[in-house]
Amino acid sequence: MLTPEDLRLIDRLHGGLPLSDRPFAELAAELGCSEYTLIERVHGWLTAGVLTRFGPLFQIERAGGRFVLAAIAVPEERFDAVAAIVNARPEVAHNYRREHALNMWFVVAAETPAAADAALARIEAETGLPVLAFPKEREFFVELRLPLADAAAALETEEADDAA
Amino acid sequence: MPLDAFDRELIAATQGGLPLVPRPYEAVGAMLGVPGERVRERLAQMLEQGLVRRIGAVPNHYALGFTANGMSVWDVADDQVDALGERIGALAGVSHCYRRPRHLPAWPYNLFAMLHGRSRAEVEAQAREVETLLGSACRGHDILYSTAILKKTGLRLSGA
């Protein structure tokens, strides 16, 4: 169970790791803990799956790359097999099951638009199922940040309510 | 700006994550046979160019209690979708907002907004906010909740 303090720490670690020689030491000083403790906690959260990654997030479209959202209506009895085929493609960055007739939604990330199209065509061929592509036509907003500080505050309020 | 050989090596070495050691950039440099300073300088430029969005933690929203994750999709009049998309992207609780193609007749939706909450009730309250903002320009909508993460690795460039 994560504490409000954990959530605040993760919120702080969300972005802006300093580009200094000892970035963890710098953050640790700011947070009032030791460099070793901070590294151990990040390691522990990665192992426990609280964090899926820690490092630079590349926006490959700035270098000609392409992200394409795609969806497949997968028959339930084939769901696991199709997921294995889709996930095996190295270009597939995310894949989610969703409640809809189009029940599998994934993102292909490739170095060129042609490579993205080729990955989608290959998935279509290997699964034998139509792949609907939803390339972004326009981006209005992207900010993956979860309201963790708010969540931490909410947790504290709940704890205070429980104690009351 | 195409990637050069060093960029490709740098991305390949760090896309899975930074080494969790006191001097992570030095460690990456050691893998690539360059000083840590060269790694830091190039990452700083990439941040400036937007080629790196950020350096830090990618949280698993399920593990953090954000168990209700809805992809809200909207069928919005074409002549209004861009102006309204900007306003919806600015709402608190909307994490990604894009215009995407319709696939008629099965898929009439052209505006996508990801909503995250600690319960479906929270997500539905956010969706009502979007609906109010769209007003009569909206001809229909749906919310597709995720029920499992099947894969989440981020970008994987092949090695240089």
Side-chain angles (χ1 to χ4, degrees):
Chain A
M1 184 67 196
L2 293 163
T3 65
E5 193 217 342
D6 290 333
L7 291 178
R8 289 214 175 83
L9 209 49
I10 291 169
D11 194 45
R12 177 62 190 88
L13 291 169
H14 183 270
L17 186 76
L19 280 166
S20 57
D21 184 37
R22 294 180 65 177
F24 293 108
E26 213 174 294
L27 271 189
E30 183 194 316
L31 295 164
C33 61
S34 80
E35 179 186 34
Y36 176 79
T37 309
L38 189 59
I39 291 174
E40 279 302 294
R41 288 181 93 169
V42 172
H43 181 74
W45 285 326
L46 282 167
T47 307
V50 170
L51 303 181
T52 56
R53 218 142 42 87
F54 187 86
L57 264 88
F58 294 99
Q59 164 42 325
I60 204 68
E61 285 169 316
R62 291 289 167 96
R66 185 85 182 272
F67 285 93
V68 181
L69 176 69
I72 310 181
V74 184
E76 268 314 312
E77 66 278 10
R78 288 189 57 201
F79 195 88
D80 292 346
V82 171
I85 292 170
V86 171
N87 292 352
R89 301 282 345 133
E91 300 90 350
V92 172
H94 309 151
N95 188 7
Y96 287 87
R97 184 181 183 118
R98 295 194 181 277
E99 288 177 353
H100 191 270
L102 287 169
N103 52 358
M104 188 179 291
W105 288 78
F106 55 95
V107 171
V108 161
E111 286 177 63
T112 62
D117 291 346
L120 292 174
R122 186 153 170 188
I123 289 168
E124 198 161 63
E126 287 180 5
T127 61
L129 296 169
V131 173
L132 295 187
F134 297 90
K136 76 178 95 158
E137 294 176 337
R138 186 153 165 189
E139 177 176 307
F140 299 112
F141 185 73
V142 178
E143 174 55 77
L144 292 156
R145 185 154 215 168
L146 296 171
L148 292 180
D150 293 351
L155 259 180
E156 277 170 350
T157 309
E158 278 166 23
E159 280 165 12
D161 287 349
D162 287 346
Chain B
M1 64 194 108
L3 302 174
D4 66 18
F6 178 67
D7 291 340
R8 297 180 54 85
E9 286 180 20
L10 181 57
I11 293 172
T14 57
Q15 63 195 350
L18 277 178
L20 295 177
V21 295
R23 292 188 162 84
Y25 306 116
E26 199 65 40
V28 171
M31 286 189 255
L32 305 180
V34 301
E37 204 178 332
R38 169 119 196 255
V39 171
R40 289 193 266 135
E41 278 170 5
R42 185 61 188 124
L43 284 174
Q45 288 167 353
M46 286 176 160
L47 274 165
E48 213 163 283
Q49 293 163 351
L51 186 49
V52 170
R53 277 193 201 270
R54 60 188 175 89
I55 304 175
V58 180
N60 173 346
H61 42 251
Y62 286 90
L64 290 170
F66 289 80
T67 51
N69 299 283
M71 183 173 77
S72 74
V73 292
W74 308 81
D75 174 8
V76 182
D78 286 323
D79 59 344
Q80 294 179 66
V81 67
D82 287 344
L84 287 165
E86 293 289 346
R87 295 179 61 192
I88 283 155
L91 290 176
V94 173
S95 72
H96 310 233
C97 188
Y98 299 105
R99 172 159 64 84
R100 299 187 185 276
R102 297 186 173 93
H103 284 280
L104 295 171
W107 189 264
Y109 309 110
N110 58 341
L111 183 68
F112 288 56
M114 288 298 313
L115 306 172
H116 301 277
R118 293 192 300 153
S119 66
R120 289 196 180 191
E122 267 183 35
V123 168
E124 271 145 30
Q126 290 167 348
R128 278 194 297 276
E129 215 181 324
V130 173
E131 197 172 5
T132 305
L133 218 157
L134 290 175
S136 61
C138 176
R139 294 176 297 223
H141 82 278
D142 200 352
I143 303 176
L144 282 68
Y145 287 100
S146 64
T147 50
I149 299 178
L150 305 170
K151 184 176 184 181
K152 189 174 180 184
T153 54
L155 172 74
R156 282 290 183 278
L157 274 194
S158 51

